[in-house]
């Protein structure tokens, strides 16, 4: 009886040992598979499809080219603007006109061309007072001038979109440039004006 009991116990122990070894081997196999997947991302990278299409630099050049073409049709504020002398207060009566340049126009062999330039300009009184700062946006402009004989100017305004043509003689023409003009003397504001400027056609 004891022999059968010992044999039976040995059989149970052997089965348990076999199951344990199988479980450990299976676990190691799973862990090694997971580990390989985690530690070898290069395999995934190699299987990725290569990027298609032209290089980014080419795309950028094409974009710049299209922007340049579109720029030709954009609004251009280049011109000479003056105020209606009859409505200008004495503090601004010495201003003859404002000169704004954002493009350079040329005519060669009957061909007209224009080239964008860095915006610049000046206010003309008895002297030319040049812009020291200028910002031109979509129909918006702001500038500051240098100081001449203690006097300088600041302006923030916009170019209203053209409305229907005015045909009657007594009708008032809409301003081509409208904004707030500030006159400064020795660092202090001495006059302000809601100014209307009109573009010279000649």
């Amino acid at each position: 009886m004891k022999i059968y009991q010992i044999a039976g116990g040995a059989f149970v122990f052997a089965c348990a040992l076999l199951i344990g070894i199988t479980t450990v081997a299976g676990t190691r196999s799973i862990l090694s598979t997971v580990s390989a997947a985690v530690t070898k991302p290069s395999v995934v990278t190699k299987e990725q499809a290569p990027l298609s299409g032209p290089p980014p630099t080419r795309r950028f050049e094409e974009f710049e080219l299209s922007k340049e073409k579109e720029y030709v049709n954009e609004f251009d504020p280049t011109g000479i603007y003056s105020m209606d002398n009859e409505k200008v207060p004495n503090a601004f009566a010495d201003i003859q006109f404002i000169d704004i340049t954002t493009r350079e126009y040329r005519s060669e062999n009957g061909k007209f061309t224009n080239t964008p330039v860095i915006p610049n300009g000046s206010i003309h009184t008895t002297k030319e007072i040049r812009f020291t700062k200028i910002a031109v946006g979509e129909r918006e402009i702001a500038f500051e001038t240098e100081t001449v004989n203690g006097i300088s100017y600041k302006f923030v305004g916009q170019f209203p979109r053209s409305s229907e043509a005015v045909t009657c003689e007594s009708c008032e023409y809409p301003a081509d440039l409208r904004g707030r003009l500030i006159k400064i003397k020795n660092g202090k504001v001495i006059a302000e004006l809601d100014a209307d400027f009109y573009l010279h056609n000649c």
Side-chain angles (χ1 to χ4, degrees), residues 29-144:
S29 176
I30 293 169
L31 288 175
S32 63
T33 304
V34 172
S35 176
V38 173
T39 58
K40 295 182 180 179
S42 59
V43 176
V44 178
T45 306
K46 287 179 183 177
E47 291 176 359
Q48 289 178 345
L51 294 174
S52 59
T57 50
R58 186 176 169 188
R59 289 180 185 174
F60 182 77
E61 286 170 2
E62 288 172 357
F63 173 72
E64 286 297 311
L65 213 64
S66 66
K67 271 182 67 177
E68 192 174 324
K69 289 179 183 176
E70 291 171 5
Y71 188 81
V72 175
N73 298 321
E74 288 179 359
F75 171 72
D76 177 22
T78 295
I80 294 174
Y81 299 80
S82 60
M83 292 187 287
D84 186 346
N85 292 332
E86 295 178 2
K87 297 180 179 180
V88 178
N90 291 335
F92 297 95
D94 58 337
I95 295 179
Q96 298 171 9
F97 60 88
I98 292 178
D99 185 6
I100 299 170
T101 302
T102 61
R103 295 196 187 198
E104 187 178 275
Y105 288 81
R106 290 180 182 176
S107 175
E108 294 179 3
N109 302 324
K111 208 173 187 180
F112 292 92
T113 60
N114 69 81
T115 308
V117 297
I118 297 172
N120 63 85
S122 56
I123 289 181
H124 289 254
T125 59
T126 54
K127 295 187 177 181
E128 181 182 10
I129 306 176
R130 295 182 177 276
F131 297 167
T132 55
K133 294 180 182 177
I134 179 172
V136 180
E138 188 178 346
R139 291 191 168 271
E140 295 178 343
I141 186 170
F143 62 76
E144 295 180 16

Side-chain angles (χ1 to χ4, degrees), residues 5-21:
Q5 286 178 349
I6 292 169
F11 178 74
V12 170
F13 177 76
C15 288
L17 184 63
L18 182 62
I19 291 170
I21 291 170

Side-chain angles (χ1 to χ4, degrees), residues 131-194:
F131 297 167
T132 55
K133 294 180 182 177
I134 179 172
V136 180
E138 188 178 346
R139 291 191 168 271
E140 295 178 343
I141 186 170
F143 62 76
E144 295 180 16
T145 72
E146 62 184 342
T147 301
V148 176
N149 295 333
I151 301 294
S152 64
Y153 295 90
K154 286 184 180 180
F155 180 81
V156 177
Q158 59 183 352
F159 303 90
R161 295 187 179 276
S162 58
S163 55
E164 294 181 5
V166 179
T167 54
C168 62
E169 293 182 5
S170 59
C171 292
E172 203 169 295
Y173 285 87
D176 296 301
L177 173 59
R178 177 171 287 168
R180 190 72 174 170
L181 182 62
I182 300 172
K183 188 173 185 177
I184 302 166
K185 185 175 183 179
N186 298 326
K188 293 183 180 180
V189 175
I190 59 170
E192 295 187 37
L193 174 67
D194 288 326

